[in-house]
């Protein structure tokens, strides 16, 4: 550790002692500061080339977009840039806002899979699924929007309160979990549609024995 001054004890008598401080000569202090600066500069010379050599595509983005309009604009731009796959679950409000861009992406041979919460059948050329129409289930998805672009970039929009925002990430774990979440939601809703009578009979008229289980 660098010392910036000397402390010494001066004895007065047996009953008392006083501590005095002697400042460093200014030339010695300047030399110490110079050595510190040189050490930091050498460290930067060694480290910055290593950092700058990292491919930016390997870095992980994680940030939040504040506001609904700003979120939709970023999502629209990402859909326009999609190259291979779009998988999305949303409400009709967002679906209608993005439909034309999705059609353009489909024409570019982008594989598209969508799930709409509102319980409406939508005629589109890609695989689209309708969520089971149940008030309790819909309430759990209120204001929810999930999107994964090209199995890489994830958008999670939450707009049910007064502070809508979107979490954006390109971390592989985020895209994997979100894709699986949407796909499993589609699986469950396909089962509910294909076996609705059996499911209602087993779980109750509003599926309460399933939904309220946990």
């Amino acid at each position: 550790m660098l010392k910036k001054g000397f402390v010494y004890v001066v004895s007065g008598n047996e009953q008392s002692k006083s501590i005095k401080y002697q400042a460093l000569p200014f030339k010695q202090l300047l030399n110490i500061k110079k050595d510190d600066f040189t050490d930091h500069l050498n460290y930067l010379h060694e480290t910055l080339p290593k950092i700058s050599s990292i491919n930016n595509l390997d870095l992980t983005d994680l940030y939040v977009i504040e506001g609904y309009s700003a979120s939709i604009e970023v999502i629209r731009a990402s859909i326009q840039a999609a190259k291979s796959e779009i998988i999305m679950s949303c409400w009709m409000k967002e679906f209608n806002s993005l439909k034309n861009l999705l059609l353009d992406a489909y024409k570019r041979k982008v594989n598209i899979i969508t799930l709409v919460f509102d319980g409406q059948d939508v005629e589109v050329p890609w695989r689209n699924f309708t969520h089971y129409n149940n008030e309790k289930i819909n309430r759990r998805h209120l204001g929810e929007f999930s999107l994964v672009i090209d199995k890489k970039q994830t958008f999670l929009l939450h707009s049910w309160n007064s502070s809508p925002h979107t979490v954006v990430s390109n971390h592989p774990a985020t895209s994997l979990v979100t894709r699986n979440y949407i796909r499993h939601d589609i699986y469950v809703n396909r089962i509910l549609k294909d076996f609705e009578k059996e499911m209602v009979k087993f779980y109750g008229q509003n599926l309460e024995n399933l939904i309220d289980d946990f």
Side-chain angles (χ1 to χ4, degrees):
M1 177 182 291
L2 296 175
K3 296 181 180 179
K4 298 183 179 179
F6 300 107
V7 176
Y8 59 94
V9 177
V10 178
S11 297
N13 51 48
E14 293 183 358
Q15 285 76 30
S16 66
K17 292 182 179 180
S18 61
I19 298 177
K20 296 183 179 180
Y21 173 77
Q22 177 180 330
L24 284 175
F26 75 90
K27 289 185 178 180
Q28 187 175 353
L29 178 62
L30 290 176
N31 286 333
I32 290 174
K33 294 297 183 180
K34 181 180 178 181
D35 290 340
D36 286 344
F37 178 80
T38 302
D39 290 342
H40 293 154
L41 188 63
N42 290 336
Y43 175 78
L44 291 175
H45 275 301
E46 294 177 3
T47 305
L48 289 178
K50 297 177 183 179
I51 296 175
S52 62
S53 66
I54 298 175
N55 189 334
N56 287 334
L57 295 177
D58 294 333
L59 298 178
T60 298
D61 290 332
L62 177 61
Y63 55 93
V64 176
I65 302 171
E66 299 290 348
Y68 182 83
S69 297
S71 296
I72 293 298
E73 286 305 311
V74 172
I75 290 169
R76 288 172 62 88
S78 297
I79 290 176
Q80 288 178 308
K83 296 180 179 179
S84 59
E85 181 189 83
I86 296 172
I87 182 167
M88 178 177 77
S89 62
C90 65
W91 294 82
M92 283 301 301
K93 177 182 178 181
E94 287 74 34
F95 187 89
N96 288 332
S97 175
L98 302 171
K99 185 177 179 180
N100 289 337
L101 293 177
L102 293 171
L103 285 169
D104 291 340
Y106 178 80
K107 294 175 183 178
R108 299 196 308 270
K109 307 300 182 182
V110 176
N111 182 42
I112 301 176
I113 302 170
T114 53
L115 172 67
V116 181
F117 293 126
D118 294 40
Q120 300 181 25
D121 291 327
V122 180
E123 293 186 7
V124 288
W126 60 82
R127 296 296 301 278
N128 178 72
F129 301 91
T130 302
H131 203 279
Y132 187 78
N133 193 2
N134 179 291
E135 183 179 353
K136 285 188 176 181
I137 295 177
N138 288 348
R139 188 163 58 245
R140 292 189 177 184
H141 292 288
L142 188 62
E144 179 182 304
F145 175 98
S146 303
L147 169 67
V148 181
I149 302 287
D150 296 338
K151 300 180 182 179
K152 296 178 181 179
Q153 195 167 31
T154 304
F155 299 84
L156 301 174
L157 168 63
H158 295 275
S159 60
W160 71 88
N161 55 25
S162 59
S163 301
H165 61 277
T166 298
V167 176
V168 183
S169 175
N170 67 352
H171 194 284
T174 308
S175 59
L176 177 63
V177 170
T178 305
R179 287 182 77 246
N180 282 339
Y181 164 71
I182 298 172
R183 291 166 64 190
H184 283 81
D185 204 6
I186 291 173
Y187 297 156
V188 170
N189 279 278
R190 289 180 68 181
I191 293 172
L192 285 171
K193 183 177 180 180
D194 294 338
F195 300 96
E196 182 175 4
K197 291 182 179 179
E198 292 82 355
M199 298 288 280
V200 168
K201 182 178 179 181
F202 189 84
Y203 290 113
Q205 185 62 39
N206 295 310
L207 305 178
E208 59 273 10
N209 295 325
L210 174 65
I211 300 171
D212 297 334
D213 188 36
F214 59 89

